[in-house]
Amino acid sequence: MTTSTAPVLVAGVDTSTQSCKVRVTDAATGRLVRFGQAKHPEGTSVNPEAWWQAFLEAAEQAGGLADVEAIAVGGQQHGMVLLDEHGSVIRDALLWNDTRSAPQAAALIRSLGEAPAEGDEPAGDDENAIEARGKQRWVKAVGSSPVASYTLTKVAWVAENEPENAERIAAICLPHDWLSWRIAGYGPVADGEDAHLDALFTDRSDASGTSYFDAAANEYRTDLLDMVLGRHDVVLPKVLAPAEAAAVKADPAIAGGDVEDGCLIAPGGGDNAMASFGLSMSVGDVSVSLGTSGVAAAIAENPVYDLTGAISGFADCTGHFLPLACTINGSRILDAGRHALGVDYDELAELAFASEPGAGGITLIPYFDGERTPNRPDDTARLEGLTLGNTTRENLARAFVEGLLCSQRDCIELVRALGARIDRILLIGGGAKSAAVRRLAPAVFGMDVTLPATDEYVAIGAARQAAWILAVRDDASAQPPAWEISIEGRESADPTPEVYEAYARRRG
């Protein structure tokens, strides 16, 4: 007679911009056991309480978390959550896509750039030299130069525009930090009670997107907070090691109520790092994610410093680094092509396949919404090389697909130029479902492309991290579990370097 042993379960949470997803997972195999999802409100400024309610709803949809032994939260990066001394949220969180702090980002760059040049820094007192010095100094300090997405710029905006709120700040955290803290049972308290702000915790990957954490030295730069707040007596979440469990466990009413020793809480992480972890990426891997935006992210063994500020020098979830380049324009480039030609995705692909590499000499520069990589916020899209002879539906369709892929090739080349090894490219995201993108990507990228199955990789990465801290609890030298990743296929093609060369020449 045989006896069955119930699997050890962990939960991975993805608190993204659009929704909260909860994935209950077999810790040994990575197999999906249960799943729940709930929407977040739209907008770039959101009350964090909506995230909490969405988490509770998603957890309930997933059958509850009473039998879960560890949990981790992956979340949208950069969002600013401000807490007062009672643990209450001071104002709606400003999310990564809230750009009101662009002037503050520019001012922060200028502030560091005003001092005279040293060594090989750009010399001069003109605005271009000051900006270039400022960017270099920020990159050397925290890995990235400030843009409106980053947390510190949002704190600066509050300090300038809502000084009464700035005075109340007792703690600053990120969306995933705040949700993890709530899962531990903490939240707003009455006068005279301890809000346990010191129980806040985070990880290197998410902290590296704040502009006040140096991932290479693994330390906060509180002097940079001084620049915007005039003080640094605020609580910042403790930065846990990659496989270090939080000092507190989940509230049994929320998770682990049926588990004898309770539910451990893992460090969690930023969404891009969690997705990379969910894909089991390692040094030499690059993911190209085609969603609303495009993101090329590489796993690097050492810190990567792009002194132009084009590459974000983030950390990953394993102790390595995650240099990342982001384009504003992603899969919507294909949508623009479909709308212009009056076709669906399959028909767009058929038209593109009927053309030749280079689209008969037509190049699309796809900066429909301006662009971040390269930094051309006021630019617009344009078609170049049109003649009476080559202006066909087939060539136009091909130009839209090649324009999207060349834009991502720009990101790949930026990462490569900084010394990151690129042995494998993984193509993910909604845009990766396009047959045209799949077939043409290896030709434009100049190397084979691996196609992981469409899945919730942020939630998978969070679940994998939760399983890892369970393993480390029993064996301090344990490595992340080796879960199988479903690969739909690999695409190969003869390289077409002339396509990217024409694009780079016309892009300027």
Side-chain angles (χ1 to χ4, degrees):
M1 181 177 179
T2 60
T3 58
S4 61
T5 302
V8 173
L9 300 181
V10 294
V13 180
D14 173 11
T15 180
S16 72
T17 313
Q18 296 84 12
S19 66
C20 182
K21 301 165 186 174
V22 175
R23 189 185 200 271
V24 178
T25 306
D26 183 329
T29 65
R31 176 180 61 87
L32 171 64
V33 177
R34 304 190 301 268
F35 186 81
Q37 180 173 352
K39 288 185 177 180
H40 285 162
E42 296 182 357
T44 63
S45 181
V46 174
N47 184 344
E49 182 63 24
W51 303 334
W52 178 243
Q53 294 303 321
F55 164 73
L56 294 177
E57 182 181 341
E60 184 178 1
Q61 282 187 23
L65 303 177
D67 53 353
V68 165
E69 297 195 24
I71 188 170
V73 180
Q76 53 176 308
Q77 287 188 263
H78 315 306
M80 176 196 68
V81 181
L82 304 178
L83 303 179
D84 67 13
E85 62 181 352
H86 299 109
S88 297
V89 174
I90 294 173
R91 68 167 330 277
D92 285 357
L94 297 182
L95 307 188
W96 64 274
N97 53 355
D98 191 299
T99 59
R100 74 184 71 183
S101 60
Q104 285 71 33
L108 286 169
I109 292 170
R110 196 180 198 288
S111 180
L112 281 197
E114 286 177 332
E118 299 179 1
D120 58 358
E121 291 180 338
D125 295 328
D126 60 283
E127 289 301 318
N128 288 337
I130 291 172
E131 180 182 7
R133 284 200 301 273
K135 286 182 177 180
Q136 289 192 10
R137 290 166 180 173
W138 276 102
V139 169
K140 292 175 181 177
V142 293
S144 306
S145 180
V147 294
S149 296
Y150 296 171
T151 319
L152 184 63
T153 71
K154 302 177 190 301
V155 178
W157 185 91
V158 171
E160 290 182 26
N161 294 276
E162 300 173 352
E164 70 285 357
N165 283 334
E167 290 176 4
R168 295 174 56 202
I169 297 173
I172 304 173
C173 57
L174 302 168
H176 114 256
D177 313 341
W178 182 83
L179 192 62
S180 298
W181 183 69
R182 293 299 306 270
I183 288 171
Y186 300 118
V189 297
D191 287 342
E193 295 182 355
D194 185 355
H196 295 284
L197 297 178
D198 58 349
L200 285 162
F201 59 90
T202 190
D203 87 307
R204 294 172 65 250
S205 72
D206 220 2
S208 66
T210 61
S211 287
Y212 49 79
F213 178 76
D214 178 358
N218 278 325
E219 64 182 15
Y220 282 115
R221 289 292 303 270
T222 54
D223 57 314
L224 301 178
L225 270 180
D226 277 342
M227 290 176 59
V228 302
L229 280 180
R231 61 189 177 94
H232 58 262
D233 59 343
V234 297
V235 174
L236 299 174
K238 179 183 178 182
V239 181
L240 300 180
E244 180 183 359
V248 292
K249 294 183 179 179
D251 181 341
I254 298 167
D258 294 342
V259 177
E260 182 177 354
D261 295 326
C263 176
L264 299 179
I265 309 178
D271 51 4
N272 289 302
M274 274 299 185
S276 299
F277 195 56
L279 285 162
S280 297
M281 287 173 58
S282 57
V283 174
D285 286 340
V286 173
S287 64
V288 175
S289 178
L290 298 177
T292 303
S293 60
V295 178
I299 304 295
E301 194 165 359
N302 299 307
V304 171
Y305 297 104
D306 174 18
L307 297 183
T308 71
I311 296 288
S312 299
F314 296 153
D316 80 340
C317 288
T318 68
H320 292 128
F321 296 85
L322 192 77
L324 179 152
C326 179
T327 63
I328 291 174
N329 300 277
S331 60
R332 289 180 299 178
I333 296 169
L334 301 181
D335 292 333
R338 289 194 309 108
H339 295 151
L341 296 170
V343 296
D344 61 22
Y345 289 110
D346 291 338
E347 291 166 336
L348 183 73
E350 290 172 7
L351 287 171
F353 294 151
S355 178
E356 298 293 328
I362 299 174
T363 299
L364 172 70
I365 308 301
Y367 303 158
F368 290 93
D369 292 327
E371 192 46 80
R372 173 176 167 181
T373 306
N375 185 29
R376 299 179 184 178
D378 300 321
D379 213 343
T380 56
R382 63 187 188 273
L383 283 164
E384 295 198 11
L386 292 167
T387 68
L388 289 176
N390 68 9
T391 305
T392 66
R393 288 162 57 81
E394 291 81 4
N395 285 339
L396 289 172
R398 183 92 176 201
F400 273 87
V401 178
E402 289 180 343
L404 167 61
L405 293 171
C406 285
S407 175
Q408 299 311 301
R409 173 76 183 267
D410 272 349
C411 295
I412 293 170
E413 292 306 316
L414 283 170
V415 171
R416 193 195 310 271
L418 293 175
R421 204 174 84 214
I422 300 179
D423 300 327
R424 183 175 67 150
I425 296 177
L426 298 96
L427 191 62
I428 60 175
K433 298 177 183 178
S434 163
V437 167
R438 289 179 175 221
R439 188 186 298 186
L440 301 186
V444 174
F445 293 165
M447 58 188 296
D448 292 354
V449 171
T450 299
L451 302 169
T454 301
D455 213 330
E456 302 292 348
Y457 287 107
V458 175
I460 292 172
R464 187 172 179 233
Q465 187 190 66
W468 189 14
I469 67 164
L470 279 181
V472 168
R473 179 187 61 183
D474 300 326
D475 176 5
S477 63
Q479 297 300 303
W483 292 350
E484 183 177 353
I485 301 299
S486 178
I487 302 296
E488 289 187 348
R490 291 177 176 82
E491 292 285 346
S492 301
D494 291 333
T496 55
E498 69 277 7
V499 173
Y500 182 64
E501 289 167 3
Y503 176 89
R505 183 173 63 254
R506 286 171 165 162
R507 180 235 307 132

